[in-house]
Amino acid sequence: MSIHRFFIREQDFVDDRSFIISSEEITHQWKKVLRFQVGEKVILFNGNGSEYTGEITAIGSKAIEGKVSSSRVCDNELRPGIILAQSILKNPEKFEWVLQKGTELGVSEFYPIITRRTERESLHKIDRLHRILIEAAEQCGRATVPVLHDAISFEKFLKLDRITKKEIELFVPHFVVDGKISDLTVDPVKPIAICIGPEGGFDDKEVDIAKRAGAFTVTLGKRVLRSETAALSAVTLLASRIESF
């Protein structure tokens, strides 16, 4: 039988010897939904790159305690990391899908961007989006949860210090390209950002601004992809490239 895996927040505690879970959300889930009993085994991670296997030893009214039997460093993060600058999509469910699947594929940071053709300029239900990231990380075995940044215009994204200082490799899928992702030289140390436009794509001026900021334009194939498909296709190609280093 598989062991359930959980992300624990700051109000909870885990180290190499013991854990204490006090957050209402998790204690309710463990007691009322999963109906855990003393002796139940769990796997915990708190975003520091390690995971802990433990066993419940006490179930109280406000907290659940346990002992840790083992811990390990999870070495399944992409290095360098992938940053996905994804235009906010008109359909919120499609944006949620990008967050979920992007997390499973290894994205370390998400920047929701607003472009000239973006139809929705704000995110909805931020708490829900963070929950999607956490649940995806729990499911796929990651020991870190990706960062979801505040929504930002594409032009402001391109002016971030990390971009202007050339600390990030920058790729933009487009019809007129510098090359294929598989053909471009990628720095094995710098994080890689892939910028995905909205349903109508980036306009030519935005692509020009991106190129002046140091972006390489790349192709994702001969077919026109939906924004959410383009995002995950690009991440998959980049992840494959990184894992081949």
Side-chain angles (χ1 to χ4, degrees), residues 6-14 19-27 29-30 44-48 126-135 138 145-146:
F6 302 92
F7 173 73
I8 62 173
R9 302 175 186 270
E10 291 181 1
Q11 65 263 46
D12 302 313
F13 170 82
V14 63
F19 64 85
I20 300 174
I21 307 298
S22 59
S23 65
E24 292 184 9
E25 181 181 6
I26 297 182
T27 55
Q29 182 184 19
W30 288 16
L44 307 172
F45 68 103
N46 59 6
N48 67 357
I126 300 297
D127 288 344
R128 173 179 169 82
L129 299 183
H130 284 291
R131 169 46 55 188
I132 287 170
L133 295 175
I134 289 170
E135 290 179 352
E138 289 175 339
V145 177

Side-chain angles (χ1 to χ4, degrees), residues 24-91:
E24 292 184 9
E25 181 181 6
I26 297 182
T27 55
H28 177 270
Q29 182 184 19
W30 288 16
K31 291 192 290 186
K32 302 298 184 182
V33 180
L34 298 172
R35 299 187 181 280
F36 281 171
Q37 303 294 321
V38 170
E40 189 83 36
K41 289 183 171 54
V42 293
I43 296 175
L44 307 172
F45 68 103
N46 59 6
N48 67 357
S50 295
E51 69 176 21
Y52 306 82
T53 301
E55 179 181 321
I56 295 174
T57 57
I59 299 177
S61 59
K62 294 185 178 181
I64 299 175
E65 300 180 24
K67 62 182 180 180
V68 170
S69 57
S70 64
S71 64
R72 72 180 187 94
V73 175
C74 293
D75 188 23
N76 57 7
E77 295 296 319
L78 294 174
R79 294 182 179 84
I82 295 177
I83 299 165
L84 178 58
Q86 168 70 53
S87 175
I88 300 174
L89 300 175
K90 182 178 179 180
N91 185 336

Side-chain angles (χ1 to χ4, degrees), residues 25-192:
E25 181 181 6
I26 297 182
T27 55
H28 177 270
Q29 182 184 19
W30 288 16
K31 291 192 290 186
K32 302 298 184 182
V33 180
L34 298 172
R35 299 187 181 280
F36 281 171
Q37 303 294 321
V38 170
E40 189 83 36
K41 289 183 171 54
V42 293
I43 296 175
L44 307 172
F45 68 103
N46 59 6
N48 67 357
S50 295
E51 69 176 21
Y52 306 82
T53 301
E55 179 181 321
I56 295 174
T57 57
I59 299 177
S61 59
K62 294 185 178 181
I64 299 175
E65 300 180 24
K67 62 182 180 180
V68 170
S69 57
S70 64
S71 64
R72 72 180 187 94
V73 175
C74 293
D75 188 23
N76 57 7
E77 295 296 319
L78 294 174
R79 294 182 179 84
I82 295 177
I83 299 165
L84 178 58
Q86 168 70 53
S87 175
I88 300 174
L89 300 175
K90 182 178 179 180
N91 185 336
E93 291 184 359
K94 290 183 178 180
F95 190 85
E96 293 174 357
W97 191 76
V98 170
L99 293 182
Q100 182 189 64
K101 302 307 176 185
T103 298
E104 293 177 20
L105 290 169
V107 173
S108 56
E109 299 178 53
F110 292 92
Y111 276 93
I113 57 173
I114 302 165
T115 73
R116 300 183 183 203
R117 293 173 178 161
T118 300
E119 296 187 50
R120 176 187 290 271
E121 296 191 355
S122 62
L123 298 176
H124 83 305
K125 300 180 180 178
I126 300 297
D127 288 344
R128 173 179 169 82
L129 299 183
H130 284 291
R131 169 46 55 188
I132 287 170
L133 295 175
I134 289 170
E135 290 179 352
E138 289 175 339
Q139 180 274 325
C140 73
R142 293 181 64 173
T144 62
V145 177
V147 176
L148 176 61
H149 294 277
D150 293 334
I152 187 173
S153 73
F154 184 46
E155 293 189 14
K156 286 185 177 179
F157 171 77
L158 294 173
K159 292 177 182 177
L160 293 174
D161 283 348
R162 302 163 72 189
I163 303 293
T164 59
K165 293 178 180 178
K166 311 299 183 185
E167 296 173 354
I168 294 173
E169 297 276 5
L170 194 61
F171 291 154
V172 178
H174 194 57
F175 298 109
V176 181
V177 301
D178 296 316
K180 298 178 181 179
I181 289 177
S182 57
D183 295 335
L184 295 175
T185 301
V186 176
D187 190 317
V189 176
K190 289 183 181 179
I192 300 169

Side-chain angles (χ1 to χ4, degrees), residues 192-245:
I192 300 169
I194 185 76
C195 304
I196 304 296
E199 286 83 348
F202 292 116
D203 68 18
D204 290 340
K205 185 175 181 179
E206 288 173 323
V207 175
D208 288 341
I209 294 172
K211 287 181 70 67
R212 289 199 299 270
F216 295 97
T217 52
V218 294
T219 178
L220 297 179
K222 297 179 180 180
R223 291 161 297 282
V224 178
L225 304 178
R226 292 181 181 272
S227 181
E228 65 274 17
T229 308
L232 299 181
S233 296
V235 170
T236 300
L237 289 169
L238 286 171
S240 177
R241 183 75 188 280
I242 290 170
E243 290 178 335
S244 70
F245 287 166

